[in-house]
Amino acid sequence: MAEIRVRNLHKAFADFVAVRDSSFTVRDGEFFCLLGPSGCGKTTTLRMIAGLELPTSGTIELAGRDVTFNRAGERDIAFVFQLFALYPHMNVRENIGFPLKCMGMKRAGIATRVEEAARILRISHLLDSRVSGLSGGDRQRIALGRAIVREPAAFMMDEPLGALDAEFRHLMCGELRGLHDRLKATTVYVTHDQMEAMAMADTIAVMNRGIIEQYATPQEIYDRPASLFVADFIGSPPMNLLSFTGALAPGARAVRLDGAAVGVPELREGVEERPLVLGVRPEHVRFAEAGALRGEVYGTEYLGTTQIVTLKTPAGPLKARVPSTVAVKPGERIGLDFRADRLSLFDAASGRALRTALHDPAPRHAASHQVRRGGSHG
Amino acid sequence: MPGLSTAHSVVEPSALSKRIAQGIVILYALLTMIPLAWILLTGFKTPPDSISYPPKLVFQPSLEGYCNLFTTRSRQTPEYIAGLPPAEGMCDEIARSRNMVVAGPSKFVPRFVNSLVIAFTSTLLAVGLGTLAAYGFSRFRVPLADDLLFFILSTRMMPPIAVAIPIYLMYRELGLSDTKLGMILLYTAVNVSLAVWLLKGFIDEIPREYEEAAMIDGYTRLQAFRKVVLPQAATGIAATAIFCLIFAWNEYAFAVLLTSGEAQTTPPFIPFIIGEGGQDWPAVAAATTLFVIPIFVFTILLRKHLLRGITFGAVRK
């Protein structure tokens, strides 16, 4: 098993930059997700780690070895493709055993390892079938079997669940994470689906336009999005982004949103008068008659225990996640209250999150973060 | 289950329309086979039967056409023939009944061998080079790939015979006139553009993840190409090979122009048969029958691939 270190990785295709100066480390045994919209460079990054693309500049280290320009076959990794890439001219057993055959292993050894992999993935009964007639889920398991059979230093997975239907994808999420917990293999997993990333990853790198916008745990990314892009990309429905213009002094504890004072985490930096954005998660909105900001109910989506209420406010449309027991009618005017300690502030021009008591990367506050997080989630 | 279902299906044709369709296909097949059948029959007629009017459908079969095809004969006086020892073999017998004696084997067999060597070698080369080039165009970022592909295709835009005279002069200078090598090179050059274009389509359809998976598992690109891409592309390669072979086998214009002796192929040889001592249609028909057989066999052998090949890519699996 191995640690993967990526340093200043850069990839340009002619005049298009796919990956811009990215650095990150995947710790030994970690399940790491590259998350982002299509075209953000996540697959290119993965393919460079795997050796299917060569970087324009930068280095890739695998288990302490510089493999930046090594051939894919010399990196001791396994790759699971979105479309599985099972060889149609081979049966299941031959497909799973193929990597071992490539390595020149003896036939008896291959048979043992293939059966072991099939047992782990519960596909022993399929070993002698042809791959063409099998369901998406079975093909996915065979593709995983082909990856685990060689016991590689690391797994690369490129949207491996993308071709499955929604219900099965959910099931496979659980299986994949279970498999990871058992094998403890370093895994780099590429997806555009935040639910998959949130459900499985130890660490997520959110990518946009070739840049890693944030590299953190799922919890951290959800609670403290580092940029407007991350705030908007993560969460379903995403974070409400309310635009306003204002100047803020260090230590400020409120912002003025369209005349209404809204409490925010204590500012740790000051900004001059400029366009700003207040980020509010739907679940941090409460209905309160005393609320400074008021909105008109536009529509509701019923989700069982909770409902999503869309409101029109002077600062823009806003979605609130409230218990289904709260009765609201379209057209009704409601006072709104936000959970002040959970709000984010962004600079509209750069997209950067402002430093506040909630958002503070400064080391001297790290300890207090830990304490507070422990208290609120433990 | 046609017996159980009485409802009309929107997608499944009814039994009656299937019958009608079958009837039309059979009729058309018979119609297109009449010339071939006529050639086959004519090959077994005697020369007088072959030109009789109205044409004879029922006749005494004879191997005179085949004998005339494989031998050269000389005309002799009946007295000379009477003085010869008894005829050796059937062909000699037939020749003597026409006041001739067999002088030796004809050039048909060497010409036929020329055709086989030239057509199959050039097909092999065109398909081999075409597969490699198509793979390159399909998988790598080739600079100016579109322009190069257009250039390759553009070699087929002009009727080949339009460049016949420059090629004739060039071949004479290079000493390639009337050589098998010259004909192989020419047919390969003409076919390789077709092969690149056809095969690029087939290889584009093979997901590149197949090779990438194999390369991650330790194969080099060349091994991945051989062990993974080639088996997947077999259908396309077979279809392309048939098209190339049919062209090289049937090509007439360049063969007439560039070959006369050593390297002459069968197509320009067949008209020669007509000229020797009257119009020997049975011998021409015999040559044509034998000429069709290799393509016929090759197509039958590859027909499974061919059918899948020409409809490949029309419907995504």
Coordinates of all heavy atoms in Angstrom, one line a residue, chain A residues 13 47 52-53 71-73 77 79 81 85-89 98-99 102 146 150, chain B residues 141 207-221 227-228 231-232:
Chain A
F13 N -3.3 21.0 -22.9 CA -3.5 20.4 -24.2 C -3.5 21.6 -25.2 O -4.4 22.4 -25.1 CB -4.8 19.7 -24.3 CG -4.9 18.5 -23.4 CD1 -5.6 18.5 -22.3 CD2 -4.3 17.3 -23.8 CE1 -5.7 17.4 -21.4 CE2 -4.4 16.2 -23.0 CZ -5.1 16.3 -21.8
R47 N -5.8 10.3 -14.6 CA -5.0 9.6 -15.7 C -3.5 9.9 -15.7 O -2.7 9.1 -16.1 CB -5.6 10.0 -17.1 CG -7.0 9.5 -17.3 CD -7.7 10.1 -18.5 NE -6.9 9.8 -19.7 CZ -7.1 8.6 -20.4 NH1 -7.9 7.8 -20.1 NH2 -6.3 8.4 -21.5
L52 N -1.6 7.2 -17.8 CA -2.3 7.2 -19.1 C -2.1 8.6 -19.8 O -2.4 8.7 -21.0 CB -3.8 6.9 -19.0 CG -4.1 5.5 -18.4 CD1 -5.5 5.3 -18.1 CD2 -3.6 4.4 -19.4
E53 N -1.8 9.6 -19.1 CA -1.4 10.9 -19.7 C -0.1 11.3 -19.0 O 0.2 10.9 -17.9 CB -2.4 12.0 -19.4 CG -3.8 11.9 -19.8 CD -4.0 12.1 -21.3 OE1 -3.1 12.5 -22.0 OE2 -5.2 11.8 -21.7
R71 N 5.9 4.2 -17.3 CA 4.8 3.6 -18.0 C 3.7 3.2 -17.0 O 4.0 2.8 -15.9 CB 5.3 2.4 -18.8 CG 6.0 2.7 -20.1 CD 5.6 1.7 -21.2 NE 5.6 0.3 -20.6 CZ 6.7 -0.5 -20.9 NH1 7.7 -0.1 -21.6 NH2 6.6 -1.7 -20.4
A72 N 2.5 3.2 -17.5 CA 1.4 2.9 -16.7 C 1.6 1.5 -16.0 O 1.3 1.3 -14.8 CB 0.1 2.9 -17.5
G73 N 2.1 0.6 -16.8 CA 2.3 -0.8 -16.3 C 3.4 -0.9 -15.3 O 3.4 -2.0 -14.6
I77 N -0.5 -0.1 -10.1 CA -1.8 0.4 -9.7 C -2.9 -0.3 -10.5 O -2.6 -1.0 -11.5 CB -2.0 1.9 -10.0 CG1 -1.5 2.2 -11.4 CG2 -1.2 2.8 -9.1 CD1 -2.3 3.2 -12.1
F79 N -6.8 0.2 -12.3 CA -7.7 1.3 -12.7 C -9.1 0.7 -13.0 O -9.2 -0.3 -13.7 CB -7.1 1.9 -14.0 CG -7.5 3.2 -14.3 CD1 -6.7 4.3 -14.2 CD2 -8.8 3.5 -14.8 CE1 -7.1 5.6 -14.5 CE2 -9.2 4.8 -15.1 CZ -8.4 5.9 -15.0
F81 N -12.6 1.6 -14.9 CA -13.1 2.6 -15.8 C -14.6 2.7 -15.7 O -15.3 1.8 -15.2 CB -12.8 2.1 -17.2 CG -11.3 2.2 -17.6 CD1 -10.5 1.1 -17.3 CD2 -10.7 3.3 -18.1 CE1 -9.2 1.1 -17.6 CE2 -9.4 3.3 -18.4 CZ -8.6 2.2 -18.1
A85 N -14.7 -1.5 -19.3 CA -13.6 -2.0 -20.1 C -13.4 -3.5 -19.9 O -12.2 -3.9 -19.8 CB -12.4 -1.2 -19.9
L86 N -14.4 -4.3 -19.8 CA -14.2 -5.7 -19.8 C -14.0 -6.2 -21.2 O -14.7 -5.7 -22.1 CB -15.5 -6.4 -19.2 CG -15.8 -6.0 -17.8 CD1 -17.1 -6.6 -17.3 CD2 -14.7 -6.3 -16.8
Y87 N -13.1 -7.2 -21.4 CA -12.8 -7.6 -22.8 C -14.0 -8.5 -23.2 O -14.2 -9.6 -22.6 CB -11.5 -8.4 -22.8 CG -10.4 -7.5 -22.2 CD1 -9.7 -7.9 -21.1 CD2 -10.0 -6.3 -22.8 CE1 -8.7 -7.2 -20.6 CE2 -9.0 -5.5 -22.3 CZ -8.4 -6.0 -21.2 OH -7.4 -5.2 -20.7
P88 N -14.7 -8.2 -24.3 CA -15.8 -9.0 -24.7 C -15.4 -10.4 -25.2 O -16.2 -11.3 -25.3 CB -16.5 -8.1 -25.8 CG -15.5 -7.1 -26.2 CD -14.5 -7.0 -25.1
H89 N -14.1 -10.5 -25.7 CA -13.8 -11.8 -26.2 C -13.2 -12.8 -25.1 O -12.7 -13.8 -25.5 CB -12.7 -11.6 -27.3 CG -11.5 -10.9 -26.9 ND1 -11.5 -9.6 -26.6 CD2 -10.2 -11.3 -26.8 CE1 -10.3 -9.2 -26.2 NE2 -9.5 -10.3 -26.4
F98 N -6.8 -11.6 -16.2 CA -6.0 -10.9 -17.2 C -4.7 -10.2 -16.7 O -3.6 -10.4 -17.2 CB -6.8 -10.0 -18.1 CG -6.1 -9.4 -19.2 CD1 -5.9 -10.2 -20.4 CD2 -5.7 -8.1 -19.2 CE1 -5.2 -9.6 -21.4 CE2 -5.0 -7.5 -20.2 CZ -4.8 -8.3 -21.4
P99 N -4.9 -9.4 -15.6 CA -3.7 -8.6 -15.1 C -2.6 -9.6 -14.6 O -1.5 -9.3 -14.8 CB -4.3 -7.8 -13.9 CG -5.7 -7.8 -14.1 CD -6.1 -9.0 -14.9
C102 N -0.9 -10.9 -17.6 CA 0.1 -9.9 -18.1 C 1.4 -9.9 -17.2 O 2.5 -9.7 -17.8 CB -0.5 -8.5 -17.9 SG -1.8 -8.2 -19.1
R146 N -11.1 -7.4 -11.3 CA -9.9 -7.3 -12.1 C -8.9 -6.4 -11.4 O -7.7 -6.5 -11.6 CB -10.3 -6.8 -13.5 CG -9.2 -7.1 -14.5 CD -9.6 -6.8 -15.9 NE -10.0 -5.4 -16.1 CZ -10.6 -5.0 -17.2 NH1 -10.8 -5.7 -18.2 NH2 -10.9 -3.7 -17.3
R150 N -4.9 -8.2 -8.4 CA -3.4 -8.1 -8.5 C -2.9 -7.5 -7.2 O -1.6 -7.3 -7.1 CB -3.0 -7.4 -9.7 CG -3.7 -6.1 -9.9 CD -3.2 -5.4 -11.1 NE -1.8 -5.0 -10.9 CZ -1.2 -4.2 -11.7 NH1 -1.7 -3.7 -12.8 NH2 0.1 -3.8 -11.4
Chain B
R141 N -2.7 11.9 -30.8 CA -2.9 13.2 -31.3 C -1.9 13.5 -32.4 O -0.8 13.9 -32.2 CB -2.7 14.2 -30.2 CG -3.9 14.4 -29.3 CD -3.7 15.4 -28.3 NE -2.9 14.9 -27.2 CZ -3.4 14.3 -26.1 NH1 -4.7 14.1 -26.0 NH2 -2.6 13.9 -25.2
P207 N -13.6 1.0 -27.6 CA -13.3 1.9 -26.5 C -11.8 1.9 -26.2 O -11.2 0.8 -26.0 CB -14.1 1.4 -25.3 CG -15.2 0.6 -25.9 CD -14.6 0.0 -27.1
R208 N -11.2 3.0 -26.1 CA -9.7 3.0 -25.8 C -9.4 2.5 -24.4 O -8.3 2.2 -24.1 CB -9.1 4.4 -26.0 CG -9.7 5.5 -25.2 CD -8.9 6.7 -25.3 NE -9.0 7.3 -26.7 CZ -8.1 8.0 -27.2 NH1 -7.0 8.3 -26.6 NH2 -8.3 8.5 -28.4
E209 N -10.5 2.4 -23.5 CA -10.3 1.9 -22.2 C -9.8 0.5 -22.2 O -9.0 0.0 -21.3 CB -11.6 1.9 -21.4 CG -11.9 3.3 -20.8 CD -12.7 4.1 -21.8 OE1 -12.9 3.7 -23.0 OE2 -13.1 5.2 -21.5
Y210 N -10.1 -0.3 -23.3 CA -9.6 -1.7 -23.4 C -8.1 -1.7 -23.3 O -7.5 -2.4 -22.6 CB -10.1 -2.3 -24.7 CG -11.6 -2.7 -24.7 CD1 -12.3 -2.6 -25.8 CD2 -12.2 -3.1 -23.5 CE1 -13.7 -3.0 -25.8 CE2 -13.5 -3.4 -23.5 CZ -14.3 -3.4 -24.7 OH -15.6 -3.7 -24.7
E211 N -7.5 -0.9 -24.2 CA -6.0 -0.9 -24.2 C -5.4 -0.3 -23.0 O -4.4 -0.7 -22.5 CB -5.5 0.0 -25.4 CG -5.9 -0.4 -26.7 CD -6.3 0.8 -27.4 OE1 -5.5 1.6 -27.8 OE2 -7.6 1.0 -27.6
E212 N -6.1 0.8 -22.5 CA -5.6 1.4 -21.3 C -5.6 0.5 -20.1 O -4.6 0.4 -19.3 CB -6.4 2.7 -21.0 CG -6.1 3.8 -22.0 CD -7.0 5.0 -21.8 OE1 -8.0 5.0 -21.0 OE2 -6.6 6.1 -22.4
A213 N -6.7 -0.3 -20.0 CA -6.7 -1.3 -18.9 C -5.6 -2.3 -19.1 O -4.9 -2.6 -18.1 CB -8.1 -2.0 -19.0
A214 N -5.3 -2.7 -20.3 CA -4.3 -3.7 -20.6 C -2.9 -3.1 -20.3 O -2.0 -3.8 -19.8 CB -4.3 -4.2 -22.0
M215 N -2.7 -1.8 -20.6 CA -1.4 -1.1 -20.4 C -1.2 -1.0 -18.9 O 0.0 -1.1 -18.4 CB -1.4 0.2 -21.1 CG -1.0 0.0 -22.6 SD -1.6 1.3 -23.6 CE -0.7 2.7 -23.0
I216 N -2.3 -0.6 -18.1 CA -2.1 -0.5 -16.7 C -1.7 -1.9 -16.1 O -1.0 -2.0 -15.2 CB -3.4 0.1 -16.1 CG1 -3.4 1.6 -16.3 CG2 -3.4 -0.2 -14.6 CD1 -4.7 2.2 -15.9
D217 N -2.3 -2.9 -16.7 CA -2.0 -4.3 -16.2 C -0.6 -4.8 -16.6 O -0.3 -5.9 -16.4 CB -3.1 -5.2 -16.6 CG -4.4 -4.9 -15.9 OD1 -4.3 -4.3 -14.8 OD2 -5.5 -5.3 -16.4
G218 N 0.1 -4.0 -17.3 CA 1.5 -4.4 -17.6 C 1.9 -4.6 -19.1 O 3.0 -4.9 -19.4
Y219 N 0.9 -4.6 -20.0 CA 1.2 -4.7 -21.4 C 1.8 -3.4 -21.9 O 1.5 -2.3 -21.5 CB 0.0 -5.0 -22.2 CG -0.4 -6.5 -22.3 CD1 0.4 -7.5 -21.6 CD2 -1.5 -6.9 -23.0 CE1 0.1 -8.8 -21.7 CE2 -1.8 -8.3 -23.1 CZ -1.1 -9.2 -22.4 OH -1.4 -10.5 -22.5
T220 N 2.7 -3.6 -22.9 CA 3.2 -2.4 -23.6 C 2.0 -2.0 -24.6 O 1.1 -2.8 -24.8 CB 4.4 -2.7 -24.4 OG1 4.1 -3.7 -25.4 CG2 5.6 -3.1 -23.5
R221 N 2.2 -0.9 -25.3 CA 1.1 -0.5 -26.2 C 1.0 -1.5 -27.3 O -0.1 -1.8 -27.8 CB 1.4 0.9 -26.7 CG 0.2 1.4 -27.6 CD 0.3 2.8 -28.0 NE -0.2 3.7 -27.0 CZ -1.5 4.0 -26.8 NH1 -2.4 3.4 -27.5 NH2 -1.9 4.8 -25.9
K227 N -3.0 -8.0 -28.6 CA -3.8 -8.9 -27.8 C -5.2 -8.4 -27.5 O -6.1 -9.2 -27.2 CB -3.1 -9.2 -26.5 CG -1.7 -9.8 -26.6 CD -1.8 -11.3 -26.4 CE -0.4 -11.9 -26.7 NZ 0.6 -11.6 -25.7
V228 N -5.4 -7.1 -27.6 CA -6.8 -6.6 -27.2 C -7.4 -5.9 -28.4 O -8.6 -6.2 -28.7 CB -6.6 -5.6 -26.0 CG1 -8.0 -5.0 -25.7 CG2 -6.0 -6.3 -24.8
P231 N -8.1 -8.5 -31.8 CA -9.3 -9.4 -31.7 C -10.6 -8.6 -31.8 O -11.6 -9.1 -32.4 CB -9.2 -10.0 -30.3 CG -7.8 -9.9 -29.9 CD -7.2 -8.7 -30.6
Q232 N -10.6 -7.4 -31.3 CA -11.9 -6.6 -31.3 C -12.1 -6.1 -32.7 O -13.2 -5.9 -33.1 CB -11.7 -5.4 -30.4 CG -11.5 -5.7 -29.0 CD -12.7 -6.3 -28.3 OE1 -13.8 -5.8 -28.5 NE2 -12.5 -7.3 -27.5

